[in-house]
Amino acid sequence: MARCLLRTMLRPGTEAPRIYLLLLLLGLLGPSLLYVAGRSRKANVVLILTDDQDVSLGGMTPLTKTKELIADHGMTFSNAYVASALCCPSRSSILTGRYPHNHHVLNNTISGNCSSKAWQKTQEPYTFPALLYSIGYQTFFAGKYLNQYGSEEAGGINHVPPGWSYWFALEKNSKYYNYTLSENGRPKTHGENYSQDYLTDVLSNVSLDFLNYKSNHEPFFMMIATPAPHSPWTAAPQYENAFLNVSAPRGGNFNVHGKDKHWLIRQAKSPMSNSSIQYLDHAFRKRWQTLLSVDDLVENLLKQLEVRGELDNTFIFFTSDNGYHTGQFSLPIDKRQLYEFDIKVPLLVRGPGIKPNQITKSLVANIDLGPTILDIAGYDLNKTQMDGMSFLPLMINNTNVNWRTDILVEYQGEGSNTSDPNCPTLRPGVSQCFPDCVCEDSYNNTYACVRTIAAAYDLQYCEFDDAEVFVEVYNITADPNQLTNIAKTIDQEILEKMNHRLMMLQSCSGPSCHTPGVFDPRYRFEPRLMFKDQVEQGHTLSRKTLR
């Protein structure tokens, strides 16, 4: 791939002194001298974001080099979650540090506020990369941004969000070939030649270009958002025969009927047909194959940072925008659901001050990424309205930190206004339907959950915004596969407390999202005061009524 970044992408205010660039081009000045002379005191940060990569079903298994280079040298978060199990709402939460009810991105459509003009006006100027840019960081983006980015309704390819020094963003959703990138607002079309166009490798190359040609006098932030392992699961040629004997995991919730769950889960056909199982096994293998190129990207990036002498002063974050399922509760393939396989993601971090080979069970969410990275950069978090919290103290001194015990997960269901002619028994209101008429989403697949991890409790409490006001509660310690909904058997006092906690989190903003959870010793159950405060603030409360 032609390396034209130096000529076309450097902007005023971020370019290195001209004499240094000239000497570098002439080969008269060794790179190490440049790097040492301008080494920044502030830490650099790299965020690598995959697309639809689970952790509960072995999604990290193909990434052997990534685990060795990041996890073995840093910290693995075994309880990392997303605020919403769908691409655009989740990515919006990462960028803003806010829950969906505050950034108002409901789904992957323009009408759902995904990369809409309203989003661009009200949220983009306050994303954490924009704040990093405001304090002198060079900021670099490459890959998938938001699902509707580049569409005509979203301003087209020439829209470059504020706060990015270098911008290589994919038009719309994940692809591997035949796509268009916005290169600082200019369209660059790619075809289907592997050596020039395979997107994961293109992202790797432009990332290495940035490292080679950026200024060495300011710290940098890089966000690299790969298409893998999102559909269409196109593997690089050298990996097309990998994992041929691998099948989707046959765990305790695979191909079983969700008998006491929301109606959308109950409508799935159990047992699944042989053709459905073959299809999901094929998808599972292809997903793993695409991740092998991500593994190469991580290796190339960290090697280049090491060669440049910058690795020891750089935090590396590796995570995903949401999880995934392949056959759990007889749902073929997708995300969007409230269960662990869809809302739990990998999170690995290495960097200055983080001891190697650490694993923490502390509960973190993707709304915490922005505050954590801003904290690393020395930005005053009190100047933000982010709902998340910095987990930098967990990484540097994880034994003496008073940390949260719960987070909010919320999702707005999507459905079609018309019936599917291939499934005449299905009414309007469903979507993401497969040929056997099993649907993965619906209008009333709208839910909010409190995910709690405390010393003595590992619970999930969820309410649906539907005619039933359906409730699902799981004891993850006793039932990690979430087979048994204990909403009707759990202690009534706990149920009431979880209900009130959910109402509070659904209306929280900024610091009010950090209040103690139900099983935190600091928690105070004062429903009368809570109702009074929320009514005065005009918040819409949960529809669940207490008995």
Side-chain angles (χ1 to χ4, degrees):
M1 175 180 175
R3 296 179 180 266
C4 58
L5 181 66
L6 177 62
R7 184 177 69 253
T8 61
M9 309 309 286
L10 285 176
R11 290 183 170 184
T14 61
E15 58 185 357
R18 292 181 180 179
I19 186 63
Y20 278 7
L21 286 175
L22 179 62
L23 290 171
L24 181 60
L25 288 171
L26 295 175
L28 299 176
L29 184 61
S32 61
L33 179 58
L34 279 175
Y35 305 155
V36 173
R39 183 168 181 173
S40 168
R41 293 181 179 179
K42 285 188 176 181
N44 310 305
V45 182
V46 177
L47 171 59
I48 301 167
L49 180 67
T50 56
D51 196 353
D52 285 3
Q53 183 186 1
D54 69 273
V55 67
S56 299
L57 305 179
M60 285 299 299
T61 303
L63 296 165
T64 55
K65 291 180 285 191
T66 298
K67 290 184 287 187
E68 178 182 349
L69 291 169
I70 302 180
D72 291 357
H73 292 267
M75 177 172 282
T76 298
F77 290 80
S78 60
N79 290 308
Y81 291 84
V82 295
S84 189
L86 187 65
C87 299
C88 202
S90 178
R91 289 165 183 261
S92 300
S93 286
I94 291 172
L95 290 165
T96 64
R98 310 183 83 186
Y99 283 121
H101 68 262
N102 287 325
H103 62 59
H104 307 297
V105 177
L106 303 179
N107 51 48
N108 291 340
T109 66
I110 287 286
S111 62
N113 206 30
C114 180
S115 200
S116 69
K117 293 293 183 66
W119 155 268
Q120 294 170 17
K121 181 179 180 180
T122 63
Q123 302 296 325
E124 276 189 340
Y126 310 104
T127 63
F128 80 85
L131 299 179
L132 288 175
Y133 182 83
S134 73
I135 59 171
Y137 270 73
Q138 302 168 87
T139 52
F140 168 91
F141 182 87
K144 174 180 171 180
Y145 181 56
L146 300 174
N147 295 56
Q148 294 298 324
Y149 172 77
S151 66
E152 185 176 347
E153 301 94 326
I157 285 292
N158 63 350
H159 171 67
V160 178
W164 292 103
S165 313
Y166 307 91
W167 181 253
F168 295 84
L170 176 67
E171 179 186 31
K172 297 185 178 180
N173 206 1
S174 285
K175 294 182 178 179
Y176 299 82
Y177 295 111
N178 299 310
Y179 57 86
T180 299
L181 290 179
S182 171
E183 295 190 352
N184 272 356
R186 297 184 296 273
K188 176 66 180 295
T189 301
H190 286 260
E192 51 188 16
N193 183 320
Y194 168 71
S195 63
Q196 297 179 355
D197 302 315
Y198 189 71
L199 182 55
T200 306
D201 291 355
V202 169
L203 301 181
S204 178
N205 289 336
V206 296
S207 299
L208 298 180
D209 282 345
F210 169 74
L211 289 178
N212 287 332
Y213 298 125
K214 65 176 176 60
S215 166
N216 298 292
H217 296 273
E218 296 88 27
F220 63 84
F221 167 71
M222 303 176 71
M223 183 171 179
I224 307 166
T226 72
H230 195 284
S231 62
W233 317 306
T234 308
Q238 66 270 30
Y239 296 132
E240 289 176 344
N241 294 317
F243 309 120
L244 294 183
N245 296 321
V246 170
S247 300
R250 266 55 168 175
N253 52 17
F254 179 83
N255 198 14
V256 299
H257 185 244
K259 59 182 179 179
D260 56 1
K261 294 174 169 45
H262 188 241
W263 77 268
L264 186 69
I265 310 301
R266 298 197 304 267
Q267 57 88 37
K269 294 178 173 62
S270 298
M272 291 183 288
S273 66
N274 289 335
S275 60
S276 292
I277 293 177
Q278 290 171 5
Y279 175 71
L280 65 87
D281 280 340
H282 170 77
F284 190 87
R285 286 190 290 272
K286 299 299 290 184
R287 284 166 52 80
W288 275 23
Q289 290 170 2
T290 66
L291 284 170
L292 293 175
S293 294
V294 176
D295 212 28
D296 292 340
L297 180 155
V298 172
E299 180 183 38
N300 294 338
L301 188 69
L302 268 70
K303 281 185 176 179
Q304 187 67 8
L305 286 167
E306 186 173 26
V307 167
R308 294 177 55 85
E310 294 177 314
L311 183 58
D312 290 343
N313 192 41
T314 303
F315 284 86
I316 314 288
F317 292 73
F318 182 96
T319 190
S320 174
D321 58 358
N322 48 254
Y324 208 70
H325 58 258
T326 49
Q328 286 63 48
F329 302 124
S330 297
L331 297 171
I333 56 169
D334 198 37
K335 51 266 187 178
R336 307 169 200 267
Q337 309 307 333
L338 59 85
Y339 307 103
E340 293 285 279
F341 42 74
D342 282 1
I343 65 174
K344 197 171 186 177
V345 292
L347 177 57
L348 317 175
V349 189
R350 67 171 287 172
I354 304 177
K355 297 178 182 178
N357 290 300
Q358 291 192 88
I359 298 176
T360 178
K361 296 181 179 180
S362 298
L363 178 62
V364 298
N366 60 353
I367 58 169
D368 300 328
L369 290 170
T372 302
I373 293 170
L374 289 173
D375 197 12
I376 289 170
Y379 192 91
D380 183 359
L381 296 180
N382 292 323
K383 295 181 179 180
T384 76
Q385 282 298 310
M386 293 185 174
D387 304 331
M389 303 166 59
S390 170
F391 53 78
L392 180 60
L394 290 176
M395 298 191 292
I396 304 302
N397 184 22
N398 67 339
T399 58
N400 297 308
V401 179
N402 194 0
W403 193 245
R404 69 150 74 90
T405 58
D406 63 15
I407 59 165
L408 175 69
V409 179
E410 48 192 351
Y411 176 69
Q412 177 78 42
E414 293 181 78
S416 172
N417 292 325
T418 59
S419 297
D420 187 335
N422 297 315
C423 302
T425 60
L426 296 178
R427 298 177 180 178
V430 295
S431 64
Q432 308 297 319
C433 298
F434 285 80
D436 57 359
C437 298
V438 173
C439 301
E440 296 269 7
D441 206 3
S442 67
Y443 281 130
N444 63 2
N445 185 38
T446 296
Y447 60 80
C449 304
V450 180
R451 184 65 180 91
T452 298
I453 297 179
Y457 291 91
D458 191 349
L459 293 176
Q460 185 176 18
Y461 173 91
C462 302
E463 295 179 9
F464 284 83
D465 186 9
D466 63 4
E468 295 180 275
V469 195
F470 198 81
V471 177
E472 294 189 29
V473 184
Y474 298 98
N475 180 345
I476 307 299
T477 301
D479 181 22
N481 291 313
Q482 296 173 286
L483 296 171
T484 304
N485 180 4
I486 60 172
K488 295 181 180 179
T489 60
I490 192 171
D491 181 85
Q492 184 68 18
E493 182 181 356
I494 292 178
L495 197 67
E496 292 179 1
K497 288 181 177 180
M498 297 300 287
N499 168 261
H500 286 297
R501 180 62 177 165
L502 179 60
M503 285 191 277
M504 182 270 162
L505 287 175
Q506 283 184 281
S507 60
C508 77
S509 179
S512 67
C513 298
H514 309 163
T515 55
V518 169
F519 301 106
D520 188 308
R522 299 167 296 170
Y523 176 74
R524 295 293 180 267
F525 182 47
E526 298 178 302
R528 291 183 180 180
L529 291 178
M530 185 196 70
F531 279 124
K532 179 177 180 293
D533 291 344
Q534 292 186 344
V535 170
E536 287 177 351
Q537 295 172 28
H539 292 305
T540 300
L541 302 181
S542 164
R543 293 176 55 194
K544 178 78 168 68
T545 55
L546 299 177
R547 298 177 181 82

